[in-house]
Amino acid sequence: MTRRRSTPAASRRPRPRSNTMHVPVQAIDRDIWRDGVASEGARLIPEETPLALTYNGGTYAVMMGTPQNLEDFAVGFSLDEGIIKSVDDVKSLEVVRLDDGIELRMWLASEDAARISERRRHIAGPTGCGICGIDSIAEAVRPAAVVPQGQTFTPEQIMTAMQAIAPLQSINLQTRAVHAAAFWSPAGGIIALREDVGRHNALDKLAGSLARSRTGASGGMVLLTSRVSVEMVQKTAAIGAPVMVAVSAPTALAVRTAEAAGITLIAIARQDGFEVFSHGGRVVARHATEVADVA
């Protein structure tokens, strides 16, 4: 079989496509080495695009993220950062696709705009940076909102919820390179799932999706395919979910923050079980819930 001469993958460009940086997945040619033998082929990889969040004409932050579900990201970021208190505070939202990135242009009420001017930051954040540009230690470790009591969940429900994520990750099924944040409830299963190259972005997108659909979070769980740092706990608290479950381990500060916020933090969730780091009373054996139902 005749094989064309290999060109180093680093010197090749993505396959021609209009608006390439505005689609979430790209096909990239690369060289493949297996058992000392080289071959060629294309791999689907996620796109990474500058996303500028602007309020009333001024840039607040520039994040790197996946160009998908951007209205959800804009609203969720604004809520999680404390810029707005409700989705209704955003008077208008426009996604503007530029040659070198995407602007998420929001217009807020005058009182919200005045508050932003006091804490405006012009940053170029790395992928999914959770606290980029914060200029004080106190702001970085600010107390999270205290969540409502919510309800209890069985180990079987928690494992079922986590196992439901993978088949719904459309981008990750193609690329194996993005994070997901999802919301699960006993009645509806996975109600919303959002993906991004940045784990913080994925959670912001989920927050925006829930807010825009007017979905209350007190009766379900936030599910993460990433590790749990303090910002992830703060964002989950802003969403109002009493339980968060992650596949990887938490940081010590994340555990302390979850404890203070009243959040049940479950991590290292695998097919054979999980570990509960705070407020374990929301996790109950099946027989206990059955006895409670009978009573």
Side-chain angles (χ1 to χ4, degrees):
M1 183 173 99
T2 303
R3 182 174 177 272
R4 64 183 176 86
R5 186 166 62 89
S6 175
T7 302
S11 68
R12 295 197 291 265
R13 295 290 184 267
R15 294 177 175 178
R17 182 182 295 178
S18 61
N19 297 321
T20 47
M21 72 186 309
H22 298 156
V23 297
V25 175
Q26 298 288 333
I28 303 293
D29 290 331
R30 86 277 197 226
D31 297 325
I32 308 165
W33 285 86
R34 294 286 186 272
D35 299 323
V37 178
S39 62
E40 296 176 348
R43 170 176 284 277
L44 294 174
I45 59 176
E47 185 55 79
E48 184 179 24
T49 303
L51 306 173
L53 296 111
T54 71
Y55 300 93
N56 292 28
T59 300
Y60 182 85
V62 180
M63 311 296 289
M64 301 301 295
T66 301
Q68 185 182 59
N69 303 121
L70 296 181
E71 292 88 351
D72 290 339
F73 176 58
V75 172
F77 178 92
S78 303
L79 286 167
D80 291 342
E81 288 284 302
I83 295 169
I84 61 174
K85 297 179 180 179
S86 164
V87 64
D88 296 326
D89 293 340
V90 179
K91 303 307 179 184
S92 68
L93 167 58
E94 183 181 8
V95 177
V96 181
R97 301 180 185 277
L98 308 173
D99 290 340
D100 55 356
I102 300 174
E103 281 192 12
L104 307 178
R105 296 178 181 173
M106 288 166 278
W107 290 89
L108 311 180
S110 57
E111 57 270 23
D112 295 317
R115 186 172 64 253
I116 291 173
S117 66
E118 297 176 359
R119 53 187 297 227
R120 187 179 305 281
R121 55 189 183 174
H122 297 272
I123 61 172
T127 300
C129 181
I131 54 175
C132 295
I134 288 178
D135 56 8
S136 75
I137 292 175
E139 188 177 354
V141 296
R142 68 188 186 278
V146 178
V147 302
Q149 177 60 35
Q151 65 182 75
T152 60
F153 299 91
T154 66
E156 291 79 11
Q157 287 177 314
I158 294 167
M159 299 308 299
T160 295
M162 290 302 290
Q163 291 170 10
I165 295 178
L168 300 178
Q169 283 191 260
S170 59
I171 297 179
N172 198 57
L173 286 172
Q174 299 177 75
T175 66
R176 303 297 180 188
V178 297
H179 296 291
F183 182 75
W184 183 93
S185 76
I190 298 287
I191 293 176
L193 183 146
R194 293 293 182 266
E195 295 178 279
D196 199 277
V197 290
R199 57 197 174 95
H200 307 95
N201 294 349
L203 188 51
D204 283 335
K205 287 180 178 180
L206 177 66
S209 173
L210 296 176
R212 295 175 70 212
S213 64
R214 313 287 179 172
T215 300
S218 62
M221 300 182 287
V222 165
L223 314 176
L224 305 171
T225 62
S226 62
R227 68 182 178 88
V228 182
S229 53
V230 63
E231 320 90 88
M232 304 298 275
V233 176
Q234 292 167 336
K235 292 175 185 292
T236 298
I239 290 172
V243 178
M244 61 188 305
V245 189
V247 298
S248 296
T251 66
L253 180 56
V255 173
R256 293 194 296 271
T257 304
E259 184 67 37
I263 291 176
T264 298
L265 173 53
I266 301 170
I268 317 177
R270 303 287 188 266
Q271 292 183 347
D272 60 346
F274 51 82
E275 299 177 21
V276 184
F277 290 84
S278 63
H279 294 281
R282 291 193 183 95
V283 182
V284 297
R286 178 186 297 177
H287 67 82
T289 60
E290 291 173 348
V291 170
D293 291 340
V294 171

